């Protein structure tokens, strides 16, 4: 028969079992941390009506979207988890208790131009808190605190959650009479890192039409830096000139204060006036998260406060705050940079039971015993030579081989070989289970993500 | 602003948080059981090249598939997890260790006519073991043993894994000189349950062109029943007439024998000659699983042995055995029939901390303490009256409210209210954590699925 060449589409991540185990480990940490904070897991369809998904319409999104028909239905694949959340909350508002806290870790689809490290199918890991009419500012401090715990649980310490407030930016531009140019200006300011102050100043004057004085004010404002209290003090100097600014400043002060109460150390968050996060969605606090030793990765976790989640679907006012980890891209970069701890086991089993007698009964019984002790156990069921069986154990990286030959069976025990040290002991099944469980627990110590 | 009516497509399951928690619990049991047997979790893209996905081509599948273009790419959504597995194994064969054991719990897509209880997007939960060239018969006994453990872990006891072997059926029809009519005959025999013996006999004669004697032989053979040893004895009476039949019988005897060694009780499996499982894919052992008190649900878990997983993609012989749970449909039916244990908690949190003072600090500290003890804890952060806070706790079904008022804070503790009994005690944080953990553990006892 003629074969069709098997291939996986470009821009679609498909991992071998080892890396997949690393990915699963990260996902398990996310699920566990989000659950510890009382977020409900949510699962929405990958396909939605195109009319519903594109209610907001227009823009880059519409070009990237996977849209197709089936029968006479106009369908599309979700391109983020926020629009499906908006639909869900609008549709089920009467059956939900507010504040509604949900997490969702799921694939989304964007038909971007394929490019190394860019994905067309990728996981987002989102948490959001949605209020009915109102939502307390405390939520805006709790969300980054959860991210802090998540990153710590992944083994990281050298990261920074950068916080700003959109009302401060909008208020500041309003003070300068530049409210209608806020978008353009932020776009130019966004280039500060790469283009530098002089070039951005030129853009502000030439492209945005700012006066020299306005230009200087914008650059000076954006340049405010220092400790969190220094930045907040500097901002206080602008107070009393625009009510929106004042409100934003009060919110930022509150978030900063509560972040400390929520247990986030000073070194893990920073007030940063250069953070803006797009233009039309967020209305208050905004976040970005960077790995201090890997600024080149960019923000690994971003989000913010919005006043109206589902305006396209309901008249009901549903303010919220949320944050999203671009998991597939993060995983790709961590892998590329060698930051996934190679010391953690990735084998699908903790123990491989090797039957050495014709009757597989004792080996099956031993495997059942180990599983009941919580040990992930595979029995090697093929008729192969001992050497080949051990080589399979080795290739899969299974840390313990459990051999059941005539002698071991007669003695009512088994031989346990530690594949890393080569050390082999003949012990009872109970002791084997205890040794393996302890060894596996030790091998699973250590951070998931390394910092260099 | 004009709103677009939010809606979820028909044929797509979208659960409220309570039922979603039940679904997550079932999925967690599947993941855990599959992992205990050394299966590696796998994740493949939902979108594949249509050419790759439809390599086998034709049939019902092609009509149901979601197929679309993006740019000049001809794409399709996976309609099962077996074709993507075949592609994966063919593509990565050089990097995998065989036997390759993987599980995958993921959504697949079939644009069937919408109908109550039929889904266009649904989870399949698959396990497969793939060999390189060969795969021992023991694997064909281990797979149903894993299903047995899975169903037991879900709380079920009254289910039966029904086992047959395609070689026996093919061999039997060959004995009668009906090898080329095997497909038609099995199709007619499949109607026995509904149409009865007489009607099927008529079909066999009129539609399949069997002689009266052939008809009787087929009906008598299919009617063989009794205990497993009785059925195997009856089958032994046909031995020696067709080599395929003899091999199938030997395999069925081996699977039956090893199933017992793998710990599956006699009452949970049955040799059943009416099981055929489609025609072109399975080549040996086949399985179906039924809930004894709910035969109307049909098979909840089916699979079998195949000699060549990836013939469309590679010349390499990759025999395997696998089984699949149609999870979304199973969940739907369990929900419909009221078989999901309503006593198990479905709240997103175990404890709701209620700050009763202006400073949320002590409440935040208490929540942090509880989380460190592994308790899923939400803080109620909104400015509401006590009654409204308690009503939220109640509506979400959170089992414990933890109140932090002036008095409790002064005494260095908290008040813990058991929402089910209304009992409230003022205790230290340590005791609160211990009480809640114990209470939650008790509430989580009990089967996930009920049997009536």
């Amino acid at each position: 028969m003629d074969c069709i060449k098997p291939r996986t589409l470009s821009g679609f991540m498909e991992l071998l079992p080892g890396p997949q185990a690393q990915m699963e480990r990260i996902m398990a940490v996310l699920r566990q941390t989000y659950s510890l904070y009382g977020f409900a897991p949510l699962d929405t369809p990958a396909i939605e009506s195109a009319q519903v998904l594109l209610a907001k319409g227009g823009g880059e999104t519409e070009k990237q979207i996977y849209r197709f028909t089936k029968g006479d239905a106009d369908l599309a694949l979700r391109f983020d988890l926020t629009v499906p959340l908006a639909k869900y909350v609008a549709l089920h508002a009467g059956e939900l208790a507010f504040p509604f806290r949900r997490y969702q870790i799921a694939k989304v689809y964007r038909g971007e131009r394929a490019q190394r490290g860019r994905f067309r199918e990728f996981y987002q890991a989102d948490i959001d808190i949605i209020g009915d009419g109102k939502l307390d500012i405390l939520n805006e401090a709790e969300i980054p605190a959860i991210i802090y715990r998540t990153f710590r649980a992944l083994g990281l310490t050298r990261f920074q959650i950068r916080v700003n407030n959109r009302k401060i930016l909008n208020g500041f531009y309003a003070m300068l009479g530049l409210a209608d140019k806020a978008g353009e200006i932020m776009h130019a300011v966004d280039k500060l890192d790469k283009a530098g102050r002089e070039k951005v100043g030129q853009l502000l004057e030439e492209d945005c039409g700012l006066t020299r004085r306005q230009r200087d004010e914008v650059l000076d404002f954006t340049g405010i830096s220092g400790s969190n209290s220094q930045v907040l003090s500097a901002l206080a100097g602008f107070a009393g000139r625009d009510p929106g600014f004042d409100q934003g400043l009060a919110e930022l002060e509150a978030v900063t204060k509560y972040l400390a109460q929520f247990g986030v150390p000073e070194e893990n968050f920073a007030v940063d006036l250069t953070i803006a996060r797009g233009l039309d969605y967020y209305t208050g606090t905004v976040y970005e998260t960077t790995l201090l030793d890997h600024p080149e990765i960019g923000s690994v976790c971003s989000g913010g406060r919005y006043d109206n989640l589902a305006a396209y679907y309901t008249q009901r006012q549903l303010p919220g705050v949320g944050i999203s980890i671009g998991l597939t891209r993060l995983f790709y970069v961590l892998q590329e940079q060698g930051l996934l701890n190679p010391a953690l086991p990735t084998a699908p089993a903790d123990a491989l039971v090797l039957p050495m007698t014709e009757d597989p009964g004792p080996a099956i019984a031993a495997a059942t015993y180990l599983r009941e002790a919580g040990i992930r156990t595979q029995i090697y069921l093929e008729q192969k030579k001992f050497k080949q069986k051990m080589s399979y154990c080795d290739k899969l990286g299974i840390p313990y081989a459990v051999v059941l030959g005539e002698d071991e069976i007669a003695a009512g025990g088994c031989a346990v070989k530690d594949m890393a040290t080569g050390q082999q002991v003949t012990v009872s099944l109970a002791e084997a289970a205890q040794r393996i469980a302890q060894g596996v627990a030790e091998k699973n110590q250590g951070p998931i993500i390394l910092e260099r």
Side-chain angles (χ1 to χ4, degrees), chain A:
Chain A
M1 184 166 70
D2 276 354
C3 288
I4 286 174
K5 194 172 148 53
R7 65 191 177 91
T8 299
L9 293 166
S10 121
F12 289 69
M13 180 178 274
E14 186 174 76
L15 299 169
L16 284 169
Q20 184 65 42
Q22 295 174 311
M23 178 62 130
E24 300 282 333
R25 206 187 284 268
I26 293 175
M27 285 186 173
V29 167
L30 299 187
R31 277 198 295 266
Q32 199 183 0
T33 314
Y34 296 167
S35 293
L36 272 179
Y37 281 80
F39 287 77
L42 193 67
D43 189 6
T44 62
I47 307 179
E48 301 272 5
S49 144
Q51 191 204 21
V52 168
L53 211 56
L54 295 168
K56 192 177 165 183
E60 270 306 296
T61 306
E62 196 144 1
K63 270 181 267 170
Q64 294 180 354
I65 207 167
Y66 286 92
R67 184 174 183 170
F68 50 91
T69 54
K70 180 79 182 169
D72 50 9
D74 181 10
L75 306 172
L77 298 180
R78 63 182 170 212
F79 53 88
D80 70 8
L81 301 178
T82 305
V83 175
L85 172 66
K87 180 216 72 176
Y88 182 90
V89 176
L91 185 58
H92 302 294
E95 298 153 288
L96 299 173
F98 291 95
F100 173 58
R101 298 156 74 94
R102 83 86 178 82
Y103 77 85
Q104 185 166 11
I105 301 173
K107 287 174 171 177
V108 304
Y109 297 85
R110 295 185 196 170
E112 296 193 72
R113 209 148 53 85
Q115 204 177 327
R116 202 172 154 66
R118 300 295 274 179
F119 294 92
R120 291 168 169 170
E121 176 187 68
F122 56 98
Y123 279 99
Q124 287 192 331
D126 283 21
I127 48 174
D128 285 88
I129 306 174
I130 314 298
D132 185 12
K134 276 193 196 174
L135 191 71
D136 200 273
I137 183 82
L138 273 165
N139 294 283
E140 286 161 61
E142 197 189 28
I143 286 276
I146 297 166
I147 292 307
Y148 168 76
R149 296 279 171 200
T150 305
F151 279 43
R152 286 300 303 265
L154 291 171
L156 296 170
T157 57
R158 302 215 7 95
F159 62 91
Q160 199 169 50
I161 303 167
R162 295 148 81 202
V163 183
N164 193 8
N165 192 299
R166 293 286 300 277
K167 288 174 189 148
I168 290 178
L169 298 182
N170 291 329
F172 173 73
Y173 294 123
M175 285 178 210
L176 299 186
L178 294 170
D180 56 334
K181 287 185 179 165
E184 287 170 77
I185 297 171
M186 291 189 213
H187 194 70
V189 166
D190 210 34
K191 300 197 169 98
L192 263 173
D193 267 0
K194 285 180 185 160
R197 186 178 160 100
E198 195 165 342
K199 176 72 186 157
V200 169
Q202 200 181 327
L203 286 176
L204 287 173
E205 281 187 277
E206 289 168 14
D207 292 10
C208 308
L210 267 57
T211 65
R212 179 147 292 229
R213 200 174 144 245
Q214 286 171 326
R215 181 200 72 173
D216 289 344
E217 291 219 49
V218 168
L219 289 174
D220 288 350
F221 181 84
T222 317
I224 294 173
S225 67
S227 71
N228 291 336
S229 56
Q230 285 169 334
V231 175
L232 290 173
S233 294
L235 287 175
F238 294 86
R241 290 164 60 189
D242 179 88
F245 181 94
D246 294 352
Q247 201 196 329
L249 179 56
E251 289 178 7
L252 191 58
E253 283 168 344
V255 167
T256 305
K257 179 179 120 195
Y258 291 131
L259 261 171
Q261 283 196 317
F262 274 109
V264 183
E266 171 90 17
E267 67 261 33
N268 288 111
F269 69 97
V271 174
D272 183 335
L273 300 180
T274 67
I275 307 294
R277 303 294 321 146
L279 279 173
D280 50 355
Y281 185 60
Y282 295 114
T283 50
T285 307
V286 285
Y287 320 100
E288 288 191 355
T289 312
T290 44
L291 304 184
L292 291 174
D293 300 325
H294 295 276
E296 76 283 3
I297 297 177
S299 176
V300 293
C301 180
S302 313
R305 159 89 186 205
Y306 39 88
D307 276 343
N308 212 346
L309 173 70
Y312 300 100
Y313 307 123
T314 177
Q315 303 290 349
R316 201 159 171 166
Q317 179 84 9
L318 298 165
V321 56
I323 206 159
S324 177
I325 299 178
L327 192 53
T328 299
R329 181 158 179 279
L330 176 61
F331 184 85
Y332 173 85
V333 175
L334 292 172
Q335 206 180 23
E336 279 279 298
Q337 307 258 1
L339 297 177
L340 294 164
N341 187 353
L344 297 178
T346 59
D350 305 318
L352 183 69
V353 171
L354 308 186
M356 304 300 293
T357 54
E358 200 173 334
D359 175 12
I364 294 170
T368 303
Y369 185 92
L370 294 177
R371 283 183 198 119
E372 276 164 11
I375 294 162
R376 301 177 306 149
T377 307
Q378 178 185 344
I379 314 178
Y380 192 92
L381 298 171
E382 309 309 301
Q383 305 292 330
K384 297 265 180 172
K385 299 213 175 83
F386 182 71
K387 205 178 149 191
Q388 288 172 296
K389 292 179 182 178
M390 291 305 276
S391 142
Y392 176 81
C393 192
D394 202 49
K395 189 168 176 192
L396 275 180
I398 299 176
Y400 295 95
V402 177
V403 183
L404 278 110
E406 300 288 1
D407 294 351
E408 288 85 7
I409 294 166
C414 62
V416 177
K417 181 173 182 176
D418 182 326
M419 297 295 288
T421 64
Q423 198 195 19
Q424 183 168 322
V425 290
T426 301
V427 291
S428 68
L429 280 178
E431 195 180 333
Q434 195 259 324
R435 270 173 179 263
I436 294 170
Q438 192 185 327
V440 168
E442 277 164 22
K443 286 174 207 293
N444 278 291
Q445 296 292 327
I448 296 174
I449 302 174
L450 300 173
E451 292 180 322
R452 295 221 195 105

